[in-house]
mmCIF file with all atom_site columns, all heavy atoms in Angstrom:
data_model
loop_
_atom_site.group_PDB
_atom_site.id
_atom_site.type_symbol
_atom_site.label_atom_id
_atom_site.label_alt_id
_atom_site.label_comp_id
_atom_site.label_asym_id
_atom_site.label_entity_id
_atom_site.label_seq_id
_atom_site.pdbx_PDB_ins_code
_atom_site.Cartn_x
_atom_site.Cartn_y
_atom_site.Cartn_z
_atom_site.occupancy
_atom_site.B_iso_or_equiv
_atom_site.pdbx_formal_charge
_atom_site.auth_seq_id
_atom_site.auth_comp_id
_atom_site.auth_asym_id
_atom_site.auth_atom_id
_atom_site.pdbx_PDB_model_num
ATOM 1  N N   . VAL A 1 174 ? -15.746 6.970  8.989  1.00 98.00 ? 174 VAL A N   1
ATOM 2  C CA  . VAL A 1 174 ? -14.958 7.870  8.113  1.00 98.00 ? 174 VAL A CA  1
ATOM 3  C C   . VAL A 1 174 ? -15.639 9.251  8.061  1.00 98.00 ? 174 VAL A C   1
ATOM 4  O O   . VAL A 1 174 ? -14.980 10.289 8.221  1.00 98.00 ? 174 VAL A O   1
ATOM 5  C CB  . VAL A 1 174 ? -14.799 7.314  6.715  1.00 98.00 ? 174 VAL A CB  1
ATOM 6  C CG1 . VAL A 1 174 ? -14.224 8.293  5.746  1.00 98.00 ? 174 VAL A CG1 1
ATOM 7  C CG2 . VAL A 1 174 ? -13.949 6.045  6.777  1.00 98.00 ? 174 VAL A CG2 1
ATOM 8  N N   . SER A 1 175 ? -16.968 9.290  7.926  1.00 98.00 ? 175 SER A N   1
ATOM 9  C CA  . SER A 1 175 ? -17.623 10.634 7.899  1.00 98.00 ? 175 SER A CA  1
ATOM 10 C C   . SER A 1 175 ? -17.497 11.342 9.214  1.00 98.00 ? 175 SER A C   1
ATOM 11 O O   . SER A 1 175 ? -17.274 12.515 9.236  1.00 98.00 ? 175 SER A O   1
ATOM 12 C CB  . SER A 1 175 ? -19.071 10.523 7.374  1.00 98.00 ? 175 SER A CB  1
ATOM 13 O OG  . SER A 1 175 ? -19.870 9.978  8.409  1.00 98.00 ? 175 SER A OG  1
ATOM 14 N N   . VAL A 1 237 ? -16.180 -0.288 0.781  1.00 98.00 ? 237 VAL A N   1
ATOM 15 C CA  . VAL A 1 237 ? -15.319 0.716  0.145  1.00 98.00 ? 237 VAL A CA  1
ATOM 16 C C   . VAL A 1 237 ? -16.193 1.835  -0.458 1.00 98.00 ? 237 VAL A C   1
ATOM 17 O O   . VAL A 1 237 ? -15.894 3.011  -0.337 1.00 98.00 ? 237 VAL A O   1
ATOM 18 C CB  . VAL A 1 237 ? -14.387 0.116  -0.935 1.00 98.00 ? 237 VAL A CB  1
ATOM 19 C CG1 . VAL A 1 237 ? -13.694 1.240  -1.754 1.00 98.00 ? 237 VAL A CG1 1
ATOM 20 C CG2 . VAL A 1 237 ? -13.326 -0.759 -0.219 1.00 98.00 ? 237 VAL A CG2 1
ATOM 21 N N   . ALA A 1 238 ? -17.256 1.475  -1.036 1.00 98.00 ? 238 ALA A N   1
ATOM 22 C CA  . ALA A 1 238 ? -18.207 2.508  -1.628 1.00 98.00 ? 238 ALA A CA  1
ATOM 23 C C   . ALA A 1 238 ? -18.667 3.461  -0.498 1.00 98.00 ? 238 ALA A C   1
ATOM 24 O O   . ALA A 1 238 ? -18.621 4.705  -0.689 1.00 98.00 ? 238 ALA A O   1
ATOM 25 C CB  . ALA A 1 238 ? -19.375 1.837  -2.258 1.00 98.00 ? 238 ALA A CB  1
ATOM 26 N N   . LEU A 1 239 ? -18.983 2.956  0.622  1.00 98.00 ? 239 LEU A N   1
ATOM 27 C CA  . LEU A 1 239 ? -19.381 3.798  1.718  1.00 98.00 ? 239 LEU A CA  1
ATOM 28 C C   . LEU A 1 239 ? -18.285 4.659  2.207  1.00 98.00 ? 239 LEU A C   1
ATOM 29 O O   . LEU A 1 239 ? -18.432 5.885  2.413  1.00 98.00 ? 239 LEU A O   1
ATOM 30 C CB  . LEU A 1 239 ? -19.902 2.854  2.863  1.00 98.00 ? 239 LEU A CB  1
ATOM 31 C CG  . LEU A 1 239 ? -21.294 2.270  2.789  1.00 98.00 ? 239 LEU A CG  1
ATOM 32 C CD1 . LEU A 1 239 ? -21.514 1.174  3.815  1.00 98.00 ? 239 LEU A CD1 1
ATOM 33 C CD2 . LEU A 1 239 ? -22.336 3.380  2.943  1.00 98.00 ? 239 LEU A CD2 1
ATOM 34 N N   . ASP A 1 240 ? -17.073 4.039  2.380  1.00 98.00 ? 240 ASP A N   1
ATOM 35 C CA  . ASP A 1 240 ? -15.943 4.836  2.909  1.00 98.00 ? 240 ASP A CA  1
ATOM 36 C C   . ASP A 1 240 ? -15.555 5.964  1.959  1.00 98.00 ? 240 ASP A C   1
ATOM 37 O O   . ASP A 1 240 ? -15.220 7.030  2.377  1.00 98.00 ? 240 ASP A O   1
ATOM 38 C CB  . ASP A 1 240 ? -14.729 3.923  3.199  1.00 98.00 ? 240 ASP A CB  1
ATOM 39 C CG  . ASP A 1 240 ? -14.943 3.138  4.481  1.00 98.00 ? 240 ASP A CG  1
ATOM 40 O OD1 . ASP A 1 240 ? -15.970 3.361  5.200  1.00 98.00 ? 240 ASP A OD1 1
ATOM 41 O OD2 . ASP A 1 240 ? -14.084 2.358  4.830  1.00 98.00 ? 240 ASP A OD2 1
ATOM 42 N N   . VAL A 1 241 ? -15.572 5.667  0.636  1.00 98.00 ? 241 VAL A N   1
ATOM 43 C CA  . VAL A 1 241 ? -15.264 6.696  -0.358 1.00 98.00 ? 241 VAL A CA  1
ATOM 44 C C   . VAL A 1 241 ? -16.273 7.766  -0.326 1.00 98.00 ? 241 VAL A C   1
ATOM 45 O O   . VAL A 1 241 ? -16.002 8.977  -0.278 1.00 98.00 ? 241 VAL A O   1
ATOM 46 C CB  . VAL A 1 241 ? -15.092 6.070  -1.711 1.00 98.00 ? 241 VAL A CB  1
ATOM 47 C CG1 . VAL A 1 241 ? -14.975 7.181  -2.797 1.00 98.00 ? 241 VAL A CG1 1
ATOM 48 C CG2 . VAL A 1 241 ? -13.843 5.173  -1.790 1.00 98.00 ? 241 VAL A CG2 1
ATOM 49 N N   . ALA A 1 242 ? -17.573 7.381  -0.245 1.00 98.00 ? 242 ALA A N   1
ATOM 50 C CA  . ALA A 1 242 ? -18.586 8.378  -0.163 1.00 98.00 ? 242 ALA A CA  1
ATOM 51 C C   . ALA A 1 242 ? -18.507 9.245  1.106  1.00 98.00 ? 242 ALA A C   1
ATOM 52 O O   . ALA A 1 242 ? -18.862 10.421 1.117  1.00 98.00 ? 242 ALA A O   1
ATOM 53 C CB  . ALA A 1 242 ? -19.992 7.743  -0.184 1.00 98.00 ? 242 ALA A CB  1
ATOM 54 N N   . GLU A 1 243 ? -18.043 8.618  2.191  1.00 98.00 ? 243 GLU A N   1
ATOM 55 C CA  . GLU A 1 243 ? -17.860 9.379  3.422  1.00 98.00 ? 243 GLU A CA  1
ATOM 56 C C   . GLU A 1 243 ? -16.612 10.269 3.478  1.00 98.00 ? 243 GLU A C   1
ATOM 57 O O   . GLU A 1 243 ? -16.412 10.937 4.403  1.00 98.00 ? 243 GLU A O   1
ATOM 58 C CB  . GLU A 1 243 ? -17.821 8.376  4.613  1.00 98.00 ? 243 GLU A CB  1
ATOM 59 C CG  . GLU A 1 243 ? -19.173 7.694  4.898  1.00 98.00 ? 243 GLU A CG  1
ATOM 60 C CD  . GLU A 1 243 ? -19.046 6.634  6.014  1.00 98.00 ? 243 GLU A CD  1
ATOM 61 O OE1 . GLU A 1 243 ? -18.251 6.892  6.951  1.00 98.00 ? 243 GLU A OE1 1
ATOM 62 O OE2 . GLU A 1 243 ? -19.788 5.677  5.990  1.00 98.00 ? 243 GLU A OE2 1
ATOM 63 N N   . GLY A 1 244 ? -15.787 10.085 2.473  1.00 98.00 ? 244 GLY A N   1
ATOM 64 C CA  . GLY A 1 244 ? -14.576 10.996 2.412  1.00 98.00 ? 244 GLY A CA  1
ATOM 65 C C   . GLY A 1 244 ? -13.252 10.311 2.568  1.00 98.00 ? 244 GLY A C   1
ATOM 66 O O   . GLY A 1 244 ? -12.220 10.959 2.817  1.00 98.00 ? 244 GLY A O   1
ATOM 67 N N   . ALA A 1 245 ? -13.165 8.996  2.478  1.00 98.00 ? 245 ALA A N   1
ATOM 68 C CA  . ALA A 1 245 ? -11.908 8.337  2.570  1.00 98.00 ? 245 ALA A CA  1
ATOM 69 C C   . ALA A 1 245 ? -11.012 8.716  1.376  1.00 98.00 ? 245 ALA A C   1
ATOM 70 O O   . ALA A 1 245 ? -11.493 8.735  0.258  1.00 98.00 ? 245 ALA A O   1
ATOM 71 C CB  . ALA A 1 245 ? -12.050 6.764  2.553  1.00 98.00 ? 245 ALA A CB  1
#
Side-chain angles (χ1 to χ4, degrees):
V174 173
S175 72
V237 170
L239 282 166
D240 282 358
V241 170
E243 289 179 31

